[in-house]
Amino acid sequence: MPVRVDVRTSANLLGRVLTALAGPLAVLAVVALLYREPVAPFVVPAAGSLAAGVGLSRLERDDPGPREAFLLVALAWLSIALVGAVPFLVAGVGTLADPVNAVFESMSGITTTGATVVGSFEIHARSILLWRSVLQWLGGLGILVLAVGVLSGLSVSGAQLMETETQNQNVTKLTPRIARTARLLGGIYAGLTGLLVLVLLVLRLVGLAPNMTLYNAVAHALTTVSTAGFSPEAASIGAFSPAVQWVVIVFMLVGATNFVLIYFVLQGDSSRLRESEEFKFYIGVVAFAAVIVAGVLALDGQFATTEETVRHALFNVVSIITTTGYATVDFDTWSTGARHVLFLGMFMGGMAGSTTCSIKTVRWLVVAKTFRRDLFTAIHPTAVVPVRISGGAVDEGTIRDSYVFILASIVLFAALTVFVVADAARAGVEIGEFAAMGAAASTFLNIGPAFGFAGPYGSYEGFPVTTKLVMTVMMWIGRIEIVPVLVLFTPSFWRS
Amino acid sequence: MPVRVDVRTSANLLGRVLTALAGPLAVLAVVALLYREPVAPFVVPAAGSLAAGVGLSRLERDDPGPREAFLLVALAWLSIALVGAVPFLVAGVGTLADPVNAVFESMSGITTTGATVVGSFEIHARSILLWRSVLQWLGGLGILVLAVGVLSGLSVSGAQLMETETQNQNVTKLTPRIARTARLLGGIYAGLTGLLVLVLLVLRLVGLAPNMTLYNAVAHALTTVSTAGFSPEAASIGAFSPAVQWVVIVFMLVGATNFVLIYFVLQGDSSRLRESEEFKFYIGVVAFAAVIVAGVLALDGQFATTEETVRHALFNVVSIITTTGYATVDFDTWSTGARHVLFLGMFMGGMAGSTTCSIKTVRWLVVAKTFRRDLFTAIHPTAVVPVRISGGAVDEGTIRDSYVFILASIVLFAALTVFVVADAARAGVEIGEFAAMGAAASTFLNIGPAFGFAGPYGSYEGFPVTTKLVMTVMMWIGRIEIVPVLVLFTPSFWRS
Ligand SMILES: [K+]
Ligand SMILES: [K+]
């Protein structure tokens, strides 16, 4: 391990990321051509990204240590957010023509958050709206690679948690296996996305989804499997038929499932999935929340039929807990009980080893099981009892990391809420406490929609510029699990 | 240690507590006589408590282990809440004549919460209103004894945290020292209460507190030093002059300071207080929150003068952070920024070894310092760095317990909010998300007032009966720091 952080190594690896980013931008240029829309918004950043990437790749590099990996991860997400904002700026249409808005939207994309500053959707080029979806799909891919690859062996990773669940498969241990696993999970990810495009088009063919064009199928497949949530439709998935909504529910749930378990299912071994305590816990939480929301909606007489009540309750609960952030209706108009459960659901997240954001169910499961163990040791102080998940013992370091991560998330969320309300008071922007908490949780935990004017059918455009900048930073911090950014601000990171 | 829980030992010790409880009830009977008010509300429970206490004390007892101590603590707070409700029921006046309300009010008293179901104060006898204050003073005393005594050596205690701060003084280690320390802190507690009575009466003598009668001085001294917050005045401390409000600010701050440090100050050694990192942290948090609230109030032009802005901001921030729960104005009418900071302040609490409730500053300090250490070890994985507070290393078990306690508190708070909003939906009670969260935090963390109809000048009477019952249980769980109640619901507690 080098004695001081080797910036050149991180920069070299960042160069490869930026070089690769030119690819999707070039694809979007072709899409723009096909739609007879301006290509400059994509050609400009593609050229820039390629030039910067090739330049950086020429730097000498060594084997990266933890510090170089943290620096790479932090810089990669930040750089893509900046490059990703260029198409919006060059296009220069509507709210996205503003630099702060453009960077907010791009960061919201690559972090798979889905919080939008778009005011009206119809004024934007289709290629621009598709770029939002592509950014999110790339963000989901990046997280999968991060989970198995770069962060493996670093103390902050979801990798140990993923391993806990996959029981000594050690899929992440050896470098060749890391690359192989990353390719494998990436393949599953791409395959699921393709499958969803197909399913949506079949629904249209059989007459169950009249407005599901190829464009819409692709745009929504990209942001469903990545549990990311951008939609080119102002009404989100509410623009489509009930059949589409049910299909999207299933694919959001799949996108929030541990991809290693999905791999085993594809290998014909579904026992691991069925026996996974985390999977049962995750499905149980979704069901529990959906039952409460459906109950409240039924009490309120919000919908005419039971199917509608169940569908809208389930869809929006799944959308929030899987951190996707789609909506089928404006749930901001629902009553307290329903909205509050959605708010708390933001802190859950899907399984480790999935594309989801937020805290993730395995951490909550670890903490809950540890608490039960602690109640036992409180009365049997000399007993030594391991915490077990799906039969395997969870090591105490992983338990500690789960506590630290959850609490750090909650504290940073709370700090963000203070900034949001204080900055709103300063700028004279009217916002309620719950709306402020919702927007803070939804951006930092990378969900997307919140309540009030930042509701599912609203926009974050109304926040003060300073709040939007801070939220942009918090989306970045939240998506790469806090530590890779925060360590950069400790003096010892830069010292030898 | 006995192989199964020795219920008789716990019952014997509970008997002593109930016997002692007859004393304050007898005092209140005398007060009622002096005021020519009915004595039955106090004579009836005094007789019952004495009879039950003497009966239970006859049971054989052994040395209590952890299980017996947990059982005793849980039963003591529950029994006093039940006995303490009898005066309200026998008096049978207003909302307190209802059994659920009476038990809620009594539990709110003994847990030093201060959430009230009283609708109008003027209809109640002065002795009845004073009983609320006495219950809170006893509750504060109970917590001091608990902190140094009963919970010492049990894994859930604030005792290690207190020790951390007092650096190997081991005030809590040996049984004779426990008794001595408990008496010492109890003496300081009583002395501070007497001092406040005197100061308030002097203010009246010099014309700075026209309406500060002896009754009011005693009633408020009892609930200030105990950081408990019941007031016989509908306007709480808002009924008194600015001079009284400033004095109460100081005594709330003192009541929330580690009593061991106060002991050293009284011994002429104030260096421990000045060098205590927890004390600086606690004062820093109060100042930070007060500055934000004062800033928001100033922006809003809420008050005419700077003195008023500063006083009301500081008073209500101190009241919430020290978990007292007094108010000088109806802060529920303040704007989002101010109310939100008060809400978050509920999760802080004062120092360990004080009478305050909630999470307590030392736990937050431990967690914050550990996080900084973890950022260091994330980039230096092989480094071994202890977490230090006021120079002494905090052991890893205490760090873990801090994480567990904070997270358990937050999760139980969140669970209570779900119950509150769902039950309100069921019962057709209108409540907003923020008001529901405020009421949940304020009861479970033993603060007192919340927002909406349960605001500082409001009442919890409007909640559904089921919600009030659940809140009563949650005040109980929160005050004795969760574990002593929850272990009772684990099967292994009752097995040998
Ligand atoms: K999202
Ligand atoms: K209180």
Side-chain angles (χ1 to χ4, degrees), chain B residues 108 111-115 136 223 226-230 319-320 322-326 357 442 445-449 479:
Chain B
S108 177
T111 57
T112 73
T113 304
Q136 294 207 313
T223 58
S226 56
T227 61
F230 269 153
S319 169
I320 294 292
T322 63
T323 73
T324 309
Y326 283 147
C357 326
S442 202
L445 300 171
N446 309 114
I447 317 290
R479 177 71 274 203

Side-chain angles (χ1 to χ4, degrees), chain A residues 232-256:
Chain A
E233 295 288 335
S236 185
I237 305 299
F240 303 101
S241 65
V244 170
Q245 296 175 12
W246 282 110
V247 165
V248 170
I249 289 175
V250 172
F251 275 82
M252 289 191 289
L253 287 172
V254 171

Side-chain angles (χ1 to χ4, degrees), chain A residues 93-102 105 117-120 123-124 459 461:
Chain A
V93 175
T95 51
L96 291 181
D98 171 76
V100 170
N101 283 344
E105 194 80 4
V117 288
V118 169
S120 45
I123 60 173
H124 292 284
S459 158
E461 217 272 313

